[in-house]
Amino acid sequence: MTVDLNLVGAKGAIAEAAEGKWGMTIDQDICTGCQACVAACAMENNVAFVGEEDAGYGRTQHWIRIERFWDGEYPHVKATPFQPMLCQQCGHAPCEPVCPVFATPHSPAEDLNLQVYNRCVGTRYCANNCPFQVRSFNWRDYHIIPELGNMVNGTLVFPLHNQLNPDVTVRRRGVMEKCTFCIQRIHHAQDTAKSEGREVEDGEFTTACAQACPASAITFGRVDHPESLVSQMAHQERGVKHLEELNTLPRVTYLKEG
Amino acid sequence: MIRKFFEWVLSPMGRIAMVITVMSLFSLAAYGVYQTQQPPEQPIQFTHKLHVGLGIQCLYCHPGALRGPSPGLPTINKCWGCHQQIAKTQTSPLLKPMVDAMNAGVGFTWVPVAQVPDFVHFTHRPHIAAGLNCEKCHGDMTKVTIAENPQVMNMGWCLNCHKSRTEDNFQNNPTGDAIVSAQLEEKRTKLTDCGTCHY
């Protein structure tokens, strides 16, 4: 049964909340599934490489992943378009109300789902309640595994520590993590804009995944500004939101023909 | 065995021994707490008192505070820029480590004093832009030799200031202007948002 929201007078309220602040569009028709966004995200956000054993347990950590499904029965299968899946930054996020320690609040200023690592106690309830399965848990201290370090003058030196992004927290064992829409870049752009006495312009900065995408399938920006590129992309007829029936109000719009 | 031990404790010698044990444990703990409150050992005994007293601005040696997140700690070249023109540099025993380091071509490794944990992302620039003085958080440097923290830098301390400076009261909004009130409200949302510092 479908309810006509116009009739019950709720459409205005939902549409307003659905707008959000920061948003993203992913064009599945031009995504080649090259995984450049996955690599770029891991570099930008210090996402750990978990290793073979933990990956076998399904403990891989990706803030964005490329999903691919098969349509039909073997041997007449048809591959569906590549589907980069990341945190949808839902307006009504199912992960938020279940956290017992309020470690994943909704940011009133940026309208994003936050993950506060120092408050997280690792119940993993949010990950279980996420319909998009985009949260990942730190089962170990992946950045300071002693076997991976080299002993230099009596101290353990980790070769990959020089490529860690200082603007992003290195997560320790026992905390949940997820895509932040590169909030460090948002803050940096806002700070730069404020120091120059202007507003953040559209396309001034973008997320790591959108920056790395060679096919420019990912667009990031303000969805509440009608003139911004992402806003115009999102309002195309091709745009779909994932699991819209759950009414989580995702901020990521997937563009797919048909 | 245990009964024998308790009998010994109740004897005069046992009581004295117990008092000494408890007191030494307590003093060890007190010493440990005291050690955490001491400013760390720095490569040279840098006197903030003297340098600020000579009229050198904080931002001369810590210029990053004006532009970005980290104020930066000065390199030995910045010290040497002034000190090579001062005759006392070559004679003072306190300045000998600096002269030696300069001659050897190595720098200082300052120990940062005011630090926040990894999960807090603090930026100096907006705080300076908001018109805050350095001594509001770092204390009066004309009174200390080696830099030390005047207060515990925790989240409650941050939020107290963020809240008081965005409160819609007479101090922040003397005329009761509606536009200023809305701006304060927006600022308050931003300044009390978890994602402003934790990400």
Side-chain angles (χ1 to χ4, degrees), chain B residues 46 48 57-66 70-74 78:
Chain B
F46 180 82
H48 275 91
Q57 299 293 312
C58 304
L59 287 171
Y60 181 72
C61 295
H62 307 288
L66 204 58
S70 169
L73 298 168
K78 188 158 262 178

Side-chain angles (χ1 to χ4, degrees), chain B residues 57 111 169:
Chain B
Q57 299 293 312
V111 185
N169 56 14

Side-chain angles (χ1 to χ4, degrees), chain A:
Chain A
M1 194 188 91
T2 52
V3 179
D4 191 347
L5 293 168
N6 279 315
L7 290 178
V8 295
K11 189 167 186 191
I14 287 178
E16 194 183 359
E19 200 78 66
K21 191 173 177 184
W22 300 101
M24 185 181 272
T25 58
I26 298 175
D27 198 330
Q28 286 185 263
D29 291 337
I30 56 176
C31 173
T32 60
C34 70
Q35 309 254 4
C37 50
V38 179
C41 178
M43 297 295 107
E44 170 74 17
N45 293 304
N46 305 339
V47 179
F49 174 68
V50 301
E52 193 180 345
E53 194 192 336
D54 275 7
Y57 286 113
R59 296 172 180 177
T60 49
Q61 293 197 297
H62 296 300
W63 286 11
I64 181 170
R65 62 173 193 269
I66 309 289
E67 282 183 344
R68 200 185 189 193
F69 302 105
W70 300 102
D71 207 8
E73 286 292 316
Y74 185 82
H76 306 290
V77 287
K78 184 172 147 264
T80 59
F82 294 103
Q83 179 179 293
M85 178 53 72
L86 70 163
C87 176
Q88 309 284 308
Q89 310 287 349
C90 310
H92 290 164
C95 56
E96 286 168 6
V98 296
C99 182
V101 292
F102 306 104
T104 175
H106 202 81
S107 161
E110 305 300 335
D111 206 353
L112 298 173
N113 295 95
L114 304 171
Q115 180 67 35
V116 183
Y117 307 120
N118 49 321
R119 197 183 264 186
C120 178
V121 296
T123 64
R124 317 200 297 282
Y125 200 162
C126 52
N128 291 329
N129 217 33
C130 175
F132 304 98
Q133 293 293 312
V134 289
R135 288 172 163 267
S136 58
F137 186 68
N138 285 274
W139 289 89
R140 298 176 204 279
D141 278 329
Y142 291 112
H143 285 283
I144 47 170
I145 295 171
E147 293 88 61
L148 300 181
N150 305 314
M151 197 60 92
V152 178
N153 298 333
T155 50
L156 264 185
V157 175
F158 295 90
L160 288 180
H161 276 192
N162 284 335
Q163 67 93 43
L164 291 176
N165 186 354
D167 293 337
V168 181
T169 309
V170 176
R171 278 81 58 186
R172 293 295 302 271
R173 181 178 66 181
V175 299
M176 191 56 75
E177 61 182 58
K178 68 166 193 76
C179 166
T180 58
F181 263 9
C182 285
I183 194 169
Q184 70 278 7
R185 294 189 177 204
I186 294 175
H187 283 315
H188 184 75
Q190 283 174 340
D191 198 46
T192 311
K194 205 171 177 189
S195 70
E196 291 166 8
R198 60 180 171 83
E199 291 289 309
V200 179
E201 289 160 23
D202 186 37
E204 184 183 330
F205 76 104
T206 187
T207 57
C209 51
Q211 189 185 4
C213 184
S216 302
I218 306 176
T219 316
F220 178 79
R222 290 287 289 267
V223 280
D224 55 346
H225 289 175
E227 72 280 6
S228 72
L229 180 62
V230 66
S231 185
Q232 290 175 4
M233 298 275 277
H235 289 102
Q236 287 178 12
E237 283 184 5
R238 296 191 296 149
V240 284
K241 298 262 170 83
H242 274 222
L243 301 180
E244 209 165 12
E245 67 275 17
L246 297 178
N247 196 26
T248 63
L249 307 178
R251 305 296 191 228
V252 182
T253 310
Y254 288 83
L255 305 175
K256 195 163 76 169
E257 199 73 62

Side-chain angles (χ1 to χ4, degrees), chain B residues 44-195:
Chain B
I44 57 169
Q45 301 290 307
F46 180 82
T47 51
H48 275 91
K49 187 160 55 178
L50 182 63
H51 288 80
V52 175
L54 288 168
I56 300 167
Q57 299 293 312
C58 304
L59 287 171
Y60 181 72
C61 295
H62 307 288
L66 204 58
R67 296 192 292 264
S70 169
L73 298 168
T75 61
I76 193 167
N77 290 331
K78 188 158 262 178
C79 306
W80 198 246
C82 297
H83 269 278
Q84 63 176 343
Q85 302 164 31
I86 300 167
K88 208 180 175 187
T89 306
Q90 299 294 343
T91 55
S92 167
L94 283 172
L95 291 169
K96 199 168 179 302
M98 183 177 73
V99 178
D100 289 348
M102 196 63 207
N103 290 336
V106 294
F108 290 140
T109 312
W110 298 111
V111 185
V113 174
Q115 277 184 305
V116 287
D118 187 32
F119 50 76
V120 182
H121 295 277
F122 177 81
T123 310
H124 273 88
R125 195 208 65 78
H127 294 84
I128 303 282
L132 288 172
N133 292 322
C134 303
E135 58 260 37
K136 181 86 168 42
C137 303
H138 294 290
D140 194 353
M141 281 294 162
T142 59
K143 292 198 174 65
V144 293
T145 305
I146 294 175
E148 52 188 89
N149 253 354
Q151 64 249 311
V152 180
M153 291 178 173
N154 58 18
M155 198 170 90
W157 173 72
C158 292
L159 280 175
N160 273 348
C161 192
H162 280 187
K163 278 180 174 165
S164 72
R165 286 178 70 89
T166 54
E167 212 163 1
D168 193 3
N169 56 14
F170 182 74
Q171 202 189 344
N172 294 322
N173 189 4
T175 54
D177 191 6
I179 298 169
V180 178
S181 183
Q183 281 172 346
L184 282 171
E185 181 63 36
E186 194 189 333
K187 226 176 173 180
R188 190 184 181 84
T189 312
K190 174 83 184 164
L191 290 181
T192 53
D193 191 65
C194 301

